[in-house]
Amino acid sequence: MTERTAERTIAHAPSTPSGPANLADILERVLDKGIVIAGDIKIDLLDIELLTIRLRLFVSSVETAKKAGINWWETDPALSTRAHRDAVDEENQRLRERIAELEAAEGEERPSRRDAGWDDERRSHSWHHVKEADGR
Amino acid sequence: MTRTVEQPGPRQPLRTETSAAVATYVFAVCRGGDPAAVAGLPGQAPGTPVRLLRFGSLEAVVQDVPAAEFDAENLRERLADRAELERCARAHHSVIAAMAGSAPTLPLPLATLYLGDERARVALRADERRFLAVLKRITGRVEWGVKVYARPEAKQEPDRSAEAAGAPGSGAPGSGAAGSGARSGRAYLERVRGARQDRERRQQAGLAAAEAVDRALRGIAVASRRLRTHETTLTGERGVQLLNAAYLVAEGDEHDVAAAVREVRRSPACRSVEVEVTGPWVPYSFVDGSFVDGGEPDARG
Protein backbone atom coordinates (compact mmCIF):
# COMPACT_ATOMS: atom_id res chain seq x y z
CA MET A 1 0.00 0.00 0.00
CA THR A 2 3.04 2.20 0.26
CA GLU A 3 3.01 2.00 -3.53
CA ARG A 4 -0.23 3.88 -3.68
CA THR A 5 0.99 6.65 -1.48
CA ALA A 6 4.06 7.09 -3.66
CA GLU A 7 1.97 7.02 -6.78
CA ARG A 8 0.03 10.01 -5.60
CA THR A 9 3.07 12.20 -5.70
CA ILE A 10 2.51 12.56 -9.41
CA ALA A 11 -0.18 10.29 -10.73
CA HIS A 12 -2.69 11.67 -8.31
CA ALA A 13 -5.90 11.95 -10.14
CA PRO A 14 -8.01 14.89 -9.09
CA SER A 15 -10.62 14.18 -11.72
CA THR A 16 -10.62 10.41 -11.56
CA PRO A 17 -13.65 9.12 -9.78
CA SER A 18 -11.98 5.81 -8.98
CA GLY A 19 -9.11 7.26 -6.95
CA PRO A 20 -5.69 5.66 -7.42
CA ALA A 21 -4.75 4.76 -10.95
CA ASN A 22 -6.86 2.02 -12.44
CA LEU A 23 -5.02 -1.21 -13.20
CA ALA A 24 -6.04 -1.22 -16.87
CA ASP A 25 -4.63 2.29 -17.29
CA ILE A 26 -1.36 1.28 -15.68
CA LEU A 27 -1.07 -1.96 -17.63
CA GLU A 28 -1.64 -0.37 -20.97
CA ARG A 29 1.17 2.03 -20.18
CA VAL A 30 3.77 -0.22 -18.56
CA LEU A 31 3.24 -3.05 -21.05
CA ASP A 32 2.53 -1.20 -24.29
CA LYS A 33 4.31 2.11 -23.85
CA GLY A 34 7.57 3.47 -22.51
CA ILE A 35 10.91 3.76 -24.26
CA VAL A 36 12.11 0.36 -25.41
CA ILE A 37 15.73 -0.70 -25.12
CA ALA A 38 17.10 -4.19 -25.61
CA GLY A 39 17.70 -5.98 -22.33
CA ASP A 40 19.81 -9.03 -21.53
CA ILE A 41 16.82 -10.99 -20.37
CA LYS A 42 14.02 -11.23 -22.84
CA ILE A 43 10.46 -12.05 -22.01
CA ASP A 44 7.71 -12.49 -24.50
CA LEU A 45 5.41 -9.58 -23.91
CA LEU A 46 2.90 -11.21 -26.19
CA ASP A 47 2.08 -13.77 -23.53
CA ILE A 48 1.41 -10.97 -21.15
CA GLU A 49 -0.57 -9.05 -23.68
CA LEU A 50 -2.87 -12.00 -24.17
CA LEU A 51 -3.34 -12.10 -20.47
CA THR A 52 -3.93 -8.38 -20.35
CA ILE A 53 -6.68 -8.63 -22.85
CA ARG A 54 -8.22 -11.37 -20.84
CA LEU A 55 -7.69 -9.25 -17.78
CA ARG A 56 -9.42 -6.36 -19.41
CA LEU A 57 -12.56 -8.38 -19.52
CA PHE A 58 -12.98 -7.99 -15.81
CA VAL A 59 -10.52 -5.46 -14.56
CA SER A 60 -13.06 -2.70 -14.28
CA SER A 61 -15.33 -4.77 -12.16
CA VAL A 62 -12.74 -6.56 -10.10
CA GLU A 63 -13.30 -4.40 -7.04
CA THR A 64 -16.98 -5.03 -7.23
CA ALA A 65 -16.37 -8.72 -7.69
CA LYS A 66 -14.04 -8.80 -4.71
CA LYS A 67 -16.62 -7.15 -2.55
CA ALA A 68 -19.12 -9.74 -3.65
CA GLY A 69 -16.62 -12.46 -2.78
CA ILE A 70 -16.21 -13.62 -6.35
CA ASN A 71 -12.70 -14.73 -7.16
CA TRP A 72 -13.02 -16.89 -10.25
CA TRP A 73 -9.82 -15.51 -11.76
CA GLU A 74 -7.84 -17.12 -8.98
CA THR A 75 -8.93 -20.55 -10.10
CA ASP A 76 -9.08 -19.97 -13.85
CA PRO A 77 -6.09 -21.83 -15.34
CA ALA A 78 -5.68 -19.21 -18.04
CA LEU A 79 -5.30 -16.46 -15.47
CA SER A 80 -3.41 -17.99 -12.66
CA THR A 81 -0.32 -20.11 -12.89
CA ARG A 82 -1.05 -21.32 -9.42
CA ALA A 83 -4.39 -22.64 -10.53
CA HIS A 84 -2.70 -24.00 -13.62
CA ARG A 85 -0.21 -25.84 -11.46
CA ASP A 86 -3.02 -27.22 -9.36
CA ALA A 87 -4.75 -28.44 -12.49
CA VAL A 88 -1.56 -30.13 -13.69
CA ASP A 89 -0.94 -31.69 -10.28
CA GLU A 90 -4.44 -32.99 -10.23
CA GLU A 91 -4.05 -34.45 -13.68
CA ASN A 92 -0.73 -36.03 -12.70
CA GLN A 93 -2.32 -37.59 -9.69
CA ARG A 94 -5.12 -38.97 -11.79
CA LEU A 95 -2.69 -40.38 -14.35
CA ARG A 96 -0.55 -41.97 -11.64
CA GLU A 97 -3.56 -43.67 -10.17
CA ARG A 98 -4.53 -44.85 -13.62
CA ILE A 99 -1.06 -46.26 -14.27
CA ALA A 100 -1.08 -48.05 -10.96
CA GLU A 101 -4.47 -49.47 -11.80
CA LEU A 102 -3.32 -50.60 -15.23
CA GLU A 103 -0.15 -52.13 -13.88
CA ALA A 104 -2.11 -53.98 -11.26
CA ALA A 105 -4.46 -55.29 -13.89
CA GLU A 106 -1.65 -56.02 -16.36
CA GLY A 107 -2.38 -58.85 -18.71
CA GLU A 108 -5.96 -59.18 -17.64
CA GLU A 109 -7.53 -56.80 -20.12
CA ARG A 110 -6.66 -54.03 -22.62
CA PRO A 111 -6.95 -50.62 -21.04
CA SER A 112 -9.49 -48.19 -22.30
CA ARG A 113 -8.11 -44.82 -23.39
CA ARG A 114 -11.41 -43.07 -23.30
CA ASP A 115 -10.36 -40.50 -20.75
CA ALA A 116 -7.05 -39.48 -22.22
CA GLY A 117 -6.55 -35.78 -22.78
CA TRP A 118 -9.81 -34.41 -21.47
CA ASP A 119 -8.06 -31.86 -19.37
CA ASP A 120 -6.00 -30.59 -22.30
CA GLU A 121 -9.12 -30.05 -24.28
CA ARG A 122 -10.63 -28.01 -21.55
CA ARG A 123 -7.56 -25.87 -21.22
CA SER A 124 -7.16 -25.13 -24.91
CA HIS A 125 -10.81 -24.22 -24.94
CA SER A 126 -10.32 -21.49 -22.41
CA TRP A 127 -7.36 -20.10 -24.35
CA HIS A 128 -9.49 -20.04 -27.44
CA HIS A 129 -11.54 -17.30 -25.86
CA VAL A 130 -8.44 -15.30 -25.26
CA LYS A 131 -7.53 -15.50 -28.92
CA GLU A 132 -10.98 -14.43 -29.91
CA ALA A 133 -10.74 -11.42 -27.69
CA ASP A 134 -7.35 -10.66 -29.20
CA GLY A 135 -8.71 -10.80 -32.71
CA ARG A 136 -11.32 -8.21 -31.99
CA MET B 1 4.59 -45.83 -19.86
CA THR B 2 6.90 -47.24 -17.18
CA ARG B 3 9.39 -44.62 -18.32
CA THR B 4 7.50 -41.99 -16.42
CA VAL B 5 8.32 -43.79 -13.24
CA GLU B 6 11.69 -42.94 -11.78
CA GLN B 7 14.54 -43.82 -14.02
CA PRO B 8 18.18 -43.00 -13.54
CA GLY B 9 18.53 -42.32 -17.27
CA PRO B 10 20.28 -39.24 -18.65
CA ARG B 11 21.33 -36.91 -15.88
CA GLN B 12 19.33 -33.79 -15.43
CA PRO B 13 21.66 -30.81 -15.47
CA LEU B 14 21.91 -29.62 -11.91
CA ARG B 15 20.40 -26.22 -11.35
CA THR B 16 23.33 -24.09 -10.32
CA GLU B 17 22.60 -22.29 -7.12
CA THR B 18 22.11 -18.72 -8.30
CA SER B 19 20.55 -17.28 -5.18
CA ALA B 20 23.52 -14.96 -4.78
CA ALA B 21 23.45 -13.70 -8.37
CA VAL B 22 21.74 -10.41 -8.99
CA ALA B 23 20.39 -8.81 -12.13
CA THR B 24 19.90 -5.10 -12.71
CA TYR B 25 16.32 -4.07 -13.24
CA VAL B 26 15.93 -0.71 -15.01
CA PHE B 27 12.79 1.31 -14.31
CA ALA B 28 13.53 4.56 -16.06
CA VAL B 29 16.09 7.01 -17.34
CA CYS B 30 16.27 10.48 -15.90
CA ARG B 31 18.37 13.60 -15.76
CA GLY B 32 19.42 15.07 -12.44
CA GLY B 33 17.22 12.74 -10.42
CA ASP B 34 17.19 12.88 -6.64
CA PRO B 35 18.10 9.48 -5.18
CA ALA B 36 15.97 10.24 -2.13
CA ALA B 37 12.86 10.31 -4.29
CA VAL B 38 12.95 6.55 -4.76
CA ALA B 39 15.21 5.34 -1.96
CA GLY B 40 12.43 4.11 0.29
CA LEU B 41 10.33 2.38 -2.35
CA PRO B 42 10.00 -1.41 -2.44
CA GLY B 43 10.37 -1.60 -6.23
CA GLN B 44 10.56 -5.11 -7.62
CA ALA B 45 12.65 -6.58 -4.81
CA PRO B 46 11.65 -5.27 -1.38
CA GLY B 47 14.73 -5.08 0.80
CA THR B 48 17.15 -3.88 -1.84
CA PRO B 49 17.26 -0.15 -2.47
CA VAL B 50 16.04 1.49 -5.64
CA ARG B 51 19.01 3.62 -6.72
CA LEU B 52 20.49 5.71 -9.48
CA LEU B 53 23.08 4.37 -11.92
CA ARG B 54 25.02 7.05 -13.75
CA PHE B 55 25.79 6.65 -17.45
CA GLY B 56 27.10 9.46 -19.60
CA SER B 57 25.22 12.61 -18.67
CA LEU B 58 22.13 10.77 -17.46
CA GLU B 59 21.04 8.35 -14.76
CA ALA B 60 19.08 5.16 -14.83
CA VAL B 61 16.73 4.28 -11.99
CA VAL B 62 17.69 0.71 -11.14
CA GLN B 63 17.44 -2.00 -8.54
CA ASP B 64 19.31 -5.22 -7.87
CA VAL B 65 16.91 -8.12 -8.18
CA PRO B 66 17.52 -11.84 -7.63
CA ALA B 67 18.60 -13.20 -11.02
CA ALA B 68 16.91 -16.52 -10.38
CA GLU B 69 13.51 -14.91 -9.96
CA PHE B 70 13.94 -12.68 -12.95
CA ASP B 71 15.12 -15.08 -15.63
CA ALA B 72 12.89 -15.32 -18.67
CA GLU B 73 11.08 -18.43 -17.57
CA ASN B 74 10.31 -17.37 -14.03
CA LEU B 75 9.41 -13.91 -15.06
CA ARG B 76 6.97 -15.12 -17.65
CA GLU B 77 5.38 -17.42 -15.15
CA ARG B 78 5.13 -14.75 -12.50
CA LEU B 79 3.70 -12.16 -14.84
CA ALA B 80 1.10 -14.64 -16.02
CA ASP B 81 -0.25 -14.63 -12.50
CA ARG B 82 -2.83 -11.93 -12.17
CA ALA B 83 -1.94 -10.79 -8.67
CA GLU B 84 1.77 -10.85 -9.41
CA LEU B 85 1.33 -8.94 -12.66
CA GLU B 86 -0.61 -6.29 -10.82
CA ARG B 87 1.98 -6.07 -8.07
CA CYS B 88 4.86 -5.79 -10.58
CA ALA B 89 3.04 -3.25 -12.73
CA ARG B 90 2.15 -1.06 -9.75
CA ALA B 91 5.64 -1.33 -8.28
CA HIS B 92 7.17 -0.36 -11.62
CA HIS B 93 4.79 2.53 -12.01
CA SER B 94 5.32 3.76 -8.45
CA VAL B 95 9.07 4.08 -8.90
CA ILE B 96 8.65 5.92 -12.19
CA ALA B 97 5.99 8.25 -10.80
CA ALA B 98 8.08 9.02 -7.71
CA MET B 99 11.18 9.82 -9.73
CA ALA B 100 9.21 11.96 -12.16
CA GLY B 101 8.32 14.12 -9.19
CA SER B 102 11.99 15.10 -8.86
CA ALA B 103 13.34 15.12 -12.42
CA PRO B 104 12.40 14.66 -16.09
CA THR B 105 11.92 10.91 -16.37
CA LEU B 106 11.65 8.48 -19.27
CA PRO B 107 9.72 5.39 -18.31
CA LEU B 108 10.89 2.02 -19.59
CA PRO B 109 8.43 -0.80 -20.15
CA LEU B 110 8.00 -3.42 -17.46
CA ALA B 111 10.89 -5.87 -17.05
CA THR B 112 13.96 -4.43 -18.74
CA LEU B 113 16.81 -6.39 -17.19
CA TYR B 114 20.58 -6.68 -17.43
CA LEU B 115 23.06 -9.15 -16.05
CA GLY B 116 24.61 -6.49 -13.85
CA ASP B 117 25.29 -2.77 -13.72
CA GLU B 118 28.09 -2.84 -16.29
CA ARG B 119 25.94 -4.48 -18.94
CA ALA B 120 23.17 -1.99 -18.22
CA ARG B 121 25.55 0.94 -18.46
CA VAL B 122 26.88 -0.18 -21.84
CA ALA B 123 23.40 -0.66 -23.29
CA LEU B 124 22.09 2.62 -21.91
CA ARG B 125 25.07 4.59 -23.08
CA ALA B 126 24.52 3.35 -26.63
CA ASP B 127 21.11 5.03 -26.56
CA GLU B 128 22.09 8.22 -24.76
CA ARG B 129 21.40 10.54 -27.68
CA ARG B 130 17.97 9.11 -28.20
CA PHE B 131 17.21 9.54 -24.51
CA LEU B 132 18.35 13.14 -24.59
CA ALA B 133 16.12 13.93 -27.58
CA VAL B 134 13.08 12.40 -25.92
CA LEU B 135 13.84 14.03 -22.58
CA LYS B 136 13.89 17.36 -24.31
CA ARG B 137 10.43 16.71 -25.69
CA ILE B 138 8.82 15.64 -22.42
CA THR B 139 10.55 17.90 -19.93
CA GLY B 140 7.99 20.10 -18.21
CA ARG B 141 5.11 18.16 -19.68
CA VAL B 142 2.72 15.58 -18.39
CA GLU B 143 0.31 13.13 -19.93
CA TRP B 144 -3.44 13.19 -19.40
CA GLY B 145 -5.61 10.26 -20.30
CA VAL B 146 -9.09 10.88 -21.62
CA LYS B 147 -11.69 8.24 -22.32
CA VAL B 148 -15.11 8.70 -23.78
CA TYR B 149 -17.89 6.18 -23.20
CA ALA B 150 -21.24 6.00 -24.88
CA ARG B 151 -23.68 6.43 -22.05
CA PRO B 152 -25.70 3.26 -21.91
CA GLU B 153 -29.21 4.24 -22.93
CA ALA B 154 -31.94 3.88 -20.39
CA LYS B 155 -33.41 0.44 -20.80
CA GLN B 156 -36.39 1.55 -22.84
CA GLU B 157 -38.38 -1.37 -24.07
CA PRO B 158 -39.57 -0.20 -27.49
CA ASP B 159 -40.73 -3.68 -28.39
CA ARG B 160 -43.39 -3.78 -25.71
CA SER B 161 -44.75 -0.33 -26.47
CA ALA B 162 -44.79 -0.98 -30.22
CA GLU B 163 -46.72 -4.15 -29.62
CA ALA B 164 -49.16 -2.37 -27.39
CA ALA B 165 -49.60 0.39 -29.96
CA GLY B 166 -50.35 -2.17 -32.66
CA ALA B 167 -52.85 -4.07 -30.57
CA PRO B 168 -55.97 -1.83 -30.63
CA GLY B 169 -56.32 -2.14 -34.41
CA SER B 170 -56.32 -5.89 -34.38
CA GLY B 171 -59.53 -6.11 -32.41
CA ALA B 172 -60.37 -8.84 -29.97
CA PRO B 173 -57.63 -11.30 -29.21
CA GLY B 174 -57.82 -14.40 -31.31
CA SER B 175 -59.74 -12.82 -34.19
CA GLY B 176 -58.37 -13.53 -37.69
CA ALA B 177 -55.09 -15.25 -37.03
CA ALA B 178 -53.79 -14.66 -40.58
CA GLY B 179 -54.46 -10.90 -40.51
CA SER B 180 -52.84 -10.26 -37.18
CA GLY B 181 -49.92 -12.43 -38.26
CA ALA B 182 -49.26 -10.26 -41.30
CA ARG B 183 -49.63 -7.10 -39.26
CA SER B 184 -47.31 -8.25 -36.52
CA GLY B 185 -44.81 -9.26 -39.20
CA ARG B 186 -44.86 -5.78 -40.66
CA ALA B 187 -44.75 -4.23 -37.21
CA TYR B 188 -41.81 -6.42 -36.41
CA LEU B 189 -39.89 -5.24 -39.47
CA GLU B 190 -40.65 -1.65 -38.64
CA ARG B 191 -39.47 -2.15 -35.13
CA VAL B 192 -36.25 -3.69 -36.35
CA ARG B 193 -35.71 -0.85 -38.77
CA GLY B 194 -36.49 1.72 -36.12
CA ALA B 195 -34.13 0.13 -33.66
CA ARG B 196 -31.39 0.05 -36.27
CA GLN B 197 -31.87 3.69 -37.13
CA ASP B 198 -31.80 4.56 -33.46
CA ARG B 199 -28.62 2.64 -33.02
CA GLU B 200 -27.01 4.33 -36.01
CA ARG B 201 -28.06 7.73 -34.76
CA ARG B 202 -26.60 7.01 -31.37
CA GLN B 203 -23.38 5.75 -32.90
CA GLN B 204 -23.05 8.85 -35.04
CA ALA B 205 -23.75 11.08 -32.07
CA GLY B 206 -21.26 9.17 -29.96
CA LEU B 207 -18.50 9.39 -32.53
CA ALA B 208 -19.18 13.08 -33.06
CA ALA B 209 -18.96 13.59 -29.31
CA ALA B 210 -15.67 11.70 -29.15
CA GLU B 211 -14.34 13.91 -31.92
CA ALA B 212 -15.49 17.00 -30.07
CA VAL B 213 -13.71 15.88 -26.90
CA ASP B 214 -10.56 15.05 -28.84
CA ARG B 215 -10.63 18.42 -30.62
CA ALA B 216 -11.07 20.31 -27.36
CA LEU B 217 -8.11 18.58 -25.75
CA ARG B 218 -5.88 18.80 -28.78
CA GLY B 219 -6.47 22.51 -28.55
CA ILE B 220 -4.50 22.68 -25.33
CA ALA B 221 -2.13 19.75 -25.87
CA VAL B 222 1.38 19.80 -27.27
CA ALA B 223 0.72 16.40 -28.79
CA SER B 224 -1.90 13.72 -28.70
CA ARG B 225 -2.11 10.04 -29.26
CA ARG B 226 -4.92 7.57 -29.70
CA LEU B 227 -4.65 4.43 -27.60
CA ARG B 228 -6.51 1.23 -28.28
CA THR B 229 -10.00 1.40 -26.97
CA HIS B 230 -10.87 -1.17 -24.35
CA GLU B 231 -13.09 -4.09 -25.11
CA THR B 232 -16.78 -3.54 -24.75
CA THR B 233 -16.87 -6.51 -22.43
CA LEU B 234 -14.49 -4.70 -20.13
CA THR B 235 -16.28 -1.43 -20.01
CA GLY B 236 -19.38 -3.29 -18.94
CA GLU B 237 -22.06 -1.06 -17.54
CA ARG B 238 -20.07 2.00 -18.51
CA GLY B 239 -20.97 1.45 -22.16
CA VAL B 240 -18.91 1.28 -25.33
CA GLN B 241 -15.61 3.06 -25.22
CA LEU B 242 -15.51 5.52 -28.09
CA LEU B 243 -12.21 7.21 -27.40
CA ASN B 244 -9.11 6.31 -25.45
CA ALA B 245 -6.51 8.99 -25.95
CA ALA B 246 -3.47 10.52 -24.31
CA TYR B 247 -2.52 14.19 -24.42
CA LEU B 248 0.85 15.70 -23.72
CA VAL B 249 0.23 18.92 -21.86
CA ALA B 250 2.52 21.49 -20.27
CA GLU B 251 2.94 20.97 -16.55
CA GLY B 252 0.84 23.49 -14.71
CA ASP B 253 -1.82 23.56 -17.38
CA GLU B 254 -4.07 21.16 -15.51
CA HIS B 255 -6.58 23.93 -15.02
CA ASP B 256 -6.85 24.21 -18.78
CA VAL B 257 -7.41 20.47 -19.00
CA ALA B 258 -10.11 20.64 -16.36
CA ALA B 259 -11.73 23.65 -18.02
CA ALA B 260 -11.69 22.04 -21.47
CA VAL B 261 -13.24 18.88 -20.13
CA ARG B 262 -15.85 20.78 -18.16
CA GLU B 263 -16.81 22.79 -21.20
CA VAL B 264 -17.00 19.85 -23.55
CA ARG B 265 -19.03 17.86 -21.03
CA ARG B 266 -21.57 20.65 -20.99
CA SER B 267 -21.86 20.90 -24.76
CA PRO B 268 -24.96 19.45 -26.42
CA ALA B 269 -22.76 17.24 -28.59
CA CYS B 270 -21.67 15.34 -25.50
CA ARG B 271 -25.05 14.71 -23.99
CA SER B 272 -24.91 11.02 -24.86
CA VAL B 273 -21.39 10.33 -23.64
CA GLU B 274 -19.41 10.16 -20.46
CA VAL B 275 -15.92 11.69 -20.34
CA GLU B 276 -13.34 10.25 -17.97
CA VAL B 277 -10.04 11.96 -17.26
CA THR B 278 -6.98 10.41 -15.60
CA GLY B 279 -3.67 11.96 -14.78
CA PRO B 280 -1.32 13.59 -14.65
CA TRP B 281 0.77 10.65 -15.85
CA VAL B 282 4.46 10.46 -16.55
CA PRO B 283 4.39 10.77 -20.37
CA TYR B 284 4.48 7.03 -21.05
CA SER B 285 2.68 7.44 -24.35
CA PHE B 286 5.06 10.04 -25.72
CA VAL B 287 8.49 8.54 -25.35
CA ASP B 288 8.77 5.87 -28.00
CA GLY B 289 10.14 6.28 -31.50
CA SER B 290 6.88 6.05 -33.39
CA PHE B 291 5.76 9.31 -31.90
CA VAL B 292 6.35 12.20 -34.29
CA ASP B 293 7.44 15.46 -32.79
CA GLY B 294 5.91 18.73 -33.83
CA GLY B 295 2.76 18.92 -31.80
CA GLU B 296 0.29 17.70 -34.40
CA PRO B 297 -1.86 14.72 -33.62
CA ASP B 298 -0.71 11.45 -35.16
CA ALA B 299 -4.10 9.92 -35.71
CA ARG B 300 -7.60 11.05 -36.23
CA GLY B 301 -10.52 8.66 -36.03
Side-chain angles (χ1 to χ4, degrees):
Chain A
M1 292 307 112
T2 33
E3 293 154 41
R4 295 201 171 179
T5 329
E7 186 176 289
R8 270 197 205 114
T9 57
I10 181 155
H12 59 84
S15 40
T16 316
S18 46
N22 174 298
L23 180 59
D25 289 332
I26 291 183
L27 283 178
E28 83 182 336
R29 285 174 171 83
V30 305
L31 293 180
D32 293 356
K33 302 285 182 286
I35 192 158
V36 179
I37 52 171
D40 284 344
I41 296 156
K42 283 223 180 336
I43 54 158
D44 191 356
L45 279 174
L46 192 74
D47 286 353
I48 296 164
E49 193 153 345
L50 281 176
L51 177 87
T52 315
I53 287 155
R54 179 72 185 249
L55 207 55
R56 281 178 179 171
L57 302 183
F58 67 87
V59 88
S60 64
S61 59
V62 70
E63 288 308 321
T64 331
K66 265 185 192 160
K67 272 178 209 148
I70 301 161
N71 61 348
W72 56 265
W73 60 85
E74 280 165 16
T75 48
D76 184 329
L79 287 172
S80 157
T81 47
R82 203 177 312 121
H84 178 84
R85 231 178 283 129
D86 289 349
V88 171
D89 285 350
E90 210 178 288
E91 187 184 13
N92 269 346
Q93 183 58 35
R94 209 177 302 114
L95 289 173
R96 273 204 198 94
E97 282 166 13
R98 187 77 180 128
I99 288 168
E101 230 174 77
L102 290 173
E103 281 176 349
E106 206 175 357
E108 282 175 27
E109 56 177 306
R110 304 278 321 149
S112 142
R113 305 198 52 187
R114 212 179 327 132
D115 290 345
W118 70 271
D119 199 41
D120 274 347
E121 249 166 65
R122 193 182 54 176
R123 199 173 308 131
S124 66
H125 179 69
S126 70
W127 276 101
H128 179 64
H129 287 304
V130 177
K131 284 195 190 112
E132 264 175 9
D134 190 29
R136 281 244 35 233
Chain B
M1 278 289 144
T2 39
R3 274 229 314 228
T4 52
V5 188
E6 299 191 24
Q7 206 197 352
R11 274 190 59 205
Q12 292 280 92
L14 278 174
R15 277 268 153 93
T16 37
E17 208 37 71
T18 45
S19 57
V22 292
T24 304
Y25 183 106
V26 187
F27 295 89
V29 166
C30 62
R31 189 179 48 207
D34 176 7
V38 291
L41 295 178
Q44 300 294 10
T48 40
V50 179
R51 60 194 167 86
L52 292 181
L53 174 70
R54 292 202 65 88
F55 68 96
S57 58
L58 301 172
E59 304 98 47
V61 184
V62 304
Q63 185 177 31
D64 285 344
V65 295
E69 274 174 53
F70 283 80
D71 67 1
E73 194 186 331
N74 279 314
L75 205 49
R76 198 178 307 121
E77 186 173 323
R78 289 197 305 137
L79 295 181
D81 182 275
R82 188 202 170 275
E84 190 66 1
L85 175 65
E86 172 162 9
R87 202 194 57 72
C88 289
R90 287 194 186 278
H92 184 81
H93 174 64
S94 298
V95 169
I96 289 166
M99 184 48 80
S102 92
T105 301
L106 292 182
L108 264 57
L110 193 68
T112 306
L113 286 142
Y114 294 92
L115 303 168
D117 280 6
E118 254 335 289
R119 301 271 308 181
R121 204 179 261 130
V122 169
L124 290 160
R125 198 169 228 152
D127 268 329
E128 190 179 353
R129 288 176 65 174
R130 182 162 66 112
F131 296 147
L132 285 167
V134 184
L135 272 170
K136 198 169 151 199
R137 181 201 302 154
I138 62 152
T139 298
R141 291 166 175 171
V142 291
E143 172 176 331
W144 289 87
V146 175
K147 284 177 259 170
V148 175
Y149 299 90
R151 196 167 278 157
E153 71 234 77
K155 279 256 166 27
Q156 59 200 73
E157 300 259 340
D159 294 7
R160 295 282 156 69
S161 59
E163 238 153 32
S170 61
S175 74
S180 87
R183 203 163 308 151
S184 69
R186 197 161 46 240
Y188 170 77
L189 288 176
E190 271 163 22
R191 273 198 321 264
V192 169
R193 194 166 48 226
R196 195 178 53 222
Q197 283 168 347
D198 265 5
R199 199 162 51 235
E200 278 165 10
R201 248 197 312 277
R202 275 200 311 274
Q203 269 167 9
Q204 286 305 319
L207 291 174
E211 285 302 321
V213 171
D214 187 43
R215 215 176 305 120
L217 281 142
R218 271 193 276 126
I220 53 165
V222 179
S224 73
R225 189 163 188 188
R226 294 275 179 110
L227 310 179
R228 278 180 298 185
T229 50
H230 294 176
E231 299 282 336
T232 308
T233 30
L234 155 74
T235 57
E237 74 264 29
R238 307 206 59 166
V240 179
Q241 198 174 81
L242 301 165
L243 177 76
N244 184 13
Y247 301 90
L248 188 64
V249 177
E251 221 167 350
D253 279 3
E254 55 266 13
H255 293 298
D256 293 349
V257 174
V261 170
R262 213 179 309 122
E263 193 173 323
V264 81
R265 265 183 191 144
R266 259 194 240 123
S267 74
C270 292
R271 204 171 294 143
S272 63
V273 300
E274 211 178 294
V275 184
E276 182 194 283
V277 183
T278 62
W281 293 88
V282 183
Y284 281 94
S285 306
F286 298 95
V287 295
D288 72 3
S290 70
F291 172 76
V292 187
D293 215 351
E296 279 308 299
D298 63 336
R300 305 186 55 177

